[in-house]
Amino acid sequence: MIEVLQNIYPWVKALHVISVTAWMAGLFYLPRLFVYHAEVVGQAGETHMLFMTMERRLLRAIMTPSMIAAWTFGLLMVATPDRVDWSQFWPWVKMLAVLGMTWFHIWCAKSRKAFEAGKNETPGRHYRIMNEVPTLLLIIIVIMVIVQPA
Protein backbone atom coordinates (compact mmCIF):
# COMPACT_ATOMS: atom_id res chain seq x y z
CA MET A 1 0.00 0.00 0.00
CA ILE A 2 2.86 2.39 0.82
CA GLU A 3 4.36 1.90 -2.64
CA VAL A 4 0.98 2.53 -4.29
CA LEU A 5 0.55 5.79 -2.37
CA GLN A 6 4.04 6.92 -3.36
CA ASN A 7 3.46 6.06 -7.02
CA ILE A 8 0.13 7.87 -7.31
CA TYR A 9 1.17 10.85 -5.16
CA PRO A 10 1.48 13.33 -8.07
CA TRP A 11 -2.02 12.41 -9.26
CA VAL A 12 -3.45 12.67 -5.76
CA LYS A 13 -1.80 16.06 -5.34
CA ALA A 14 -3.19 17.31 -8.67
CA LEU A 15 -6.71 16.10 -7.80
CA HIS A 16 -6.38 17.74 -4.38
CA VAL A 17 -5.50 21.11 -5.95
CA ILE A 18 -8.41 20.81 -8.42
CA SER A 19 -10.83 19.93 -5.60
CA VAL A 20 -9.63 22.77 -3.39
CA THR A 21 -9.97 25.23 -6.26
CA ALA A 22 -13.59 24.22 -6.90
CA TRP A 23 -14.36 24.31 -3.16
CA MET A 24 -12.83 27.76 -2.78
CA ALA A 25 -14.81 29.11 -5.74
CA GLY A 26 -18.01 28.12 -3.95
CA LEU A 27 -16.82 29.45 -0.60
CA PHE A 28 -16.13 32.82 -2.24
CA TYR A 29 -19.41 32.95 -4.18
CA LEU A 30 -22.06 31.61 -1.79
CA PRO A 31 -21.66 34.34 0.88
CA ARG A 32 -21.83 36.93 -1.92
CA LEU A 33 -25.17 35.42 -2.97
CA PHE A 34 -26.27 35.71 0.67
CA VAL A 35 -25.39 39.44 0.66
CA TYR A 36 -27.68 40.10 -2.30
CA HIS A 37 -30.33 37.72 -1.00
CA ALA A 38 -30.44 39.54 2.35
CA GLU A 39 -30.12 43.12 1.05
CA VAL A 40 -32.04 43.10 -2.22
CA VAL A 41 -34.18 40.00 -2.65
CA GLY A 42 -35.76 39.46 0.75
CA GLN A 43 -37.48 36.23 1.78
CA ALA A 44 -40.45 35.99 -0.55
CA GLY A 45 -41.27 36.02 -4.22
CA GLU A 46 -39.94 34.64 -7.46
CA THR A 47 -36.42 36.07 -7.11
CA HIS A 48 -36.20 34.62 -3.60
CA MET A 49 -37.01 31.21 -5.05
CA LEU A 50 -34.36 31.70 -7.76
CA PHE A 51 -31.72 32.61 -5.17
CA MET A 52 -32.63 29.62 -3.01
CA THR A 53 -32.23 27.33 -6.04
CA MET A 54 -28.83 28.83 -6.93
CA GLU A 55 -27.62 28.63 -3.33
CA ARG A 56 -28.81 25.04 -2.88
CA ARG A 57 -27.28 23.83 -6.14
CA LEU A 58 -23.98 25.61 -5.50
CA LEU A 59 -23.71 24.03 -2.07
CA ARG A 60 -24.90 20.52 -2.96
CA ALA A 61 -23.54 20.08 -6.48
CA ILE A 62 -20.21 21.90 -6.26
CA MET A 63 -19.12 22.88 -2.77
CA THR A 64 -19.89 19.76 -0.74
CA PRO A 65 -18.55 17.23 -3.30
CA SER A 66 -15.43 19.42 -3.74
CA MET A 67 -14.91 19.62 0.02
CA ILE A 68 -15.22 15.85 0.37
CA ALA A 69 -12.78 15.33 -2.51
CA ALA A 70 -10.32 17.88 -1.08
CA TRP A 71 -10.40 16.14 2.30
CA THR A 72 -10.07 12.68 0.70
CA PHE A 73 -7.09 13.59 -1.48
CA GLY A 74 -5.54 15.63 1.34
CA LEU A 75 -5.74 12.70 3.73
CA LEU A 76 -4.24 10.42 1.08
CA MET A 77 -1.32 12.83 0.75
CA VAL A 78 -0.86 12.89 4.52
CA ALA A 79 -0.97 9.07 4.56
CA THR A 80 1.85 8.91 2.02
CA PRO A 81 5.09 8.23 3.95
CA ASP A 82 7.79 10.91 4.14
CA ARG A 83 5.61 13.72 2.75
CA VAL A 84 4.68 15.61 5.92
CA ASP A 85 6.96 16.18 8.89
CA TRP A 86 4.56 16.58 11.81
CA SER A 87 7.38 17.76 14.07
CA GLN A 88 7.33 21.05 12.16
CA PHE A 89 5.02 23.99 12.81
CA TRP A 90 3.43 24.46 9.38
CA PRO A 91 1.35 21.27 9.00
CA TRP A 92 -0.42 21.94 12.29
CA VAL A 93 -1.29 25.50 11.31
CA LYS A 94 -2.47 24.30 7.90
CA MET A 95 -4.62 21.64 9.55
CA LEU A 96 -6.24 24.26 11.82
CA ALA A 97 -6.91 26.51 8.83
CA VAL A 98 -8.48 23.62 6.90
CA LEU A 99 -10.68 22.88 9.91
CA GLY A 100 -11.61 26.58 9.90
CA MET A 101 -12.50 26.34 6.21
CA THR A 102 -14.67 23.31 6.96
CA TRP A 103 -16.39 25.22 9.78
CA PHE A 104 -17.05 28.07 7.31
CA HIS A 105 -18.59 25.59 4.86
CA ILE A 106 -20.92 24.32 7.60
CA TRP A 107 -21.79 27.92 8.55
CA CYS A 108 -22.71 28.59 4.90
CA ALA A 109 -24.93 25.49 4.87
CA LYS A 110 -26.72 26.64 8.03
CA SER A 111 -27.16 30.14 6.60
CA ARG A 112 -28.67 28.68 3.44
CA LYS A 113 -31.14 26.70 5.53
CA ALA A 114 -32.18 29.91 7.33
CA PHE A 115 -33.01 31.51 3.97
CA GLU A 116 -34.84 28.35 2.91
CA ALA A 117 -36.95 28.41 6.08
CA GLY A 118 -37.67 32.12 5.65
CA LYS A 119 -35.92 32.83 8.96
CA ASN A 120 -32.76 34.66 7.92
CA GLU A 121 -32.13 37.52 10.31
CA THR A 122 -28.49 38.04 9.40
CA PRO A 123 -27.89 41.39 7.69
CA GLY A 124 -26.04 41.68 4.40
CA ARG A 125 -23.17 43.50 6.11
CA HIS A 126 -22.46 40.44 8.24
CA TYR A 127 -22.32 38.24 5.14
CA ARG A 128 -19.96 40.79 3.54
CA ILE A 129 -17.60 40.54 6.51
CA MET A 130 -17.85 36.75 6.65
CA ASN A 131 -17.02 36.62 2.94
CA GLU A 132 -13.44 37.56 3.90
CA VAL A 133 -12.95 34.50 6.13
CA PRO A 134 -12.11 32.01 3.34
CA THR A 135 -9.64 34.51 1.83
CA LEU A 136 -7.75 34.82 5.11
CA LEU A 137 -7.74 31.06 5.63
CA LEU A 138 -6.56 30.50 2.05
CA ILE A 139 -3.65 32.90 2.59
CA ILE A 140 -2.63 31.02 5.73
CA ILE A 141 -2.89 27.63 4.01
CA VAL A 142 -0.90 28.65 0.94
CA ILE A 143 1.87 30.24 3.02
CA MET A 144 2.10 27.17 5.25
CA VAL A 145 2.33 24.78 2.28
CA ILE A 146 4.66 26.83 0.08
CA VAL A 147 6.92 28.56 2.63
CA GLN A 148 6.70 25.86 5.32
CA PRO A 149 7.83 28.11 8.17
CA ALA A 150 9.61 26.17 10.91
Side-chain angles (χ1 to χ4, degrees):
M1 183 65 170
I2 291 172
E3 189 175 326
V4 170
L5 285 173
Q6 290 173 330
N7 288 337
I8 66 169
Y9 185 81
W11 285 101
V12 171
K13 190 174 185 180
L15 292 170
H16 178 69
V17 170
I18 293 165
S19 302
V20 168
T21 302
W23 186 26
M24 291 304 304
L27 289 173
F28 290 145
Y29 187 50
L30 187 58
R32 181 57 45 189
L33 286 175
F34 292 158
V35 169
Y36 299 129
H37 199 158
E39 291 182 352
V40 178
V41 175
Q43 297 189 60
E46 199 172 304
T47 307
H48 167 68
M49 297 303 290
L50 174 64
F51 267 71
M52 284 196 325
T53 299
M54 292 187 317
E55 293 158 358
R56 183 183 67 252
R57 287 183 179 167
L58 177 61
L59 187 68
R60 289 186 182 168
I62 297 171
M63 292 172 61
T64 299
S66 297
M67 177 188 68
I68 292 167
W71 268 96
T72 300
F73 296 125
L75 290 172
L76 282 172
M77 288 191 309
V78 168
T80 304
D82 302 323
R83 295 295 175 164
V84 178
D85 181 359
W86 289 98
S87 69
Q88 293 185 344
F89 172 74
W90 73 267
W92 296 100
V93 175
K94 182 197 177 201
M95 181 182 67
L96 288 174
V98 170
L99 289 172
M101 201 76 79
T102 303
W103 167 85
F104 188 78
H105 181 104
I106 294 166
W107 176 83
C108 284
K110 287 181 180 180
S111 297
R112 189 199 68 77
K113 285 196 182 253
F115 278 109
E116 186 176 61
K119 296 181 179 178
N120 177 61
E121 296 180 3
T122 306
R125 178 168 165 70
H126 184 76
Y127 290 122
R128 262 188 190 41
I129 293 167
M130 290 301 286
N131 198 39
E132 302 307 321
V133 170
T135 303
L136 296 173
L137 292 170
L138 178 64
I139 290 168
I140 291 167
I141 291 167
V142 169
I143 289 171
M144 291 302 114
V145 171
I146 303 299
V147 178
Q148 296 185 357

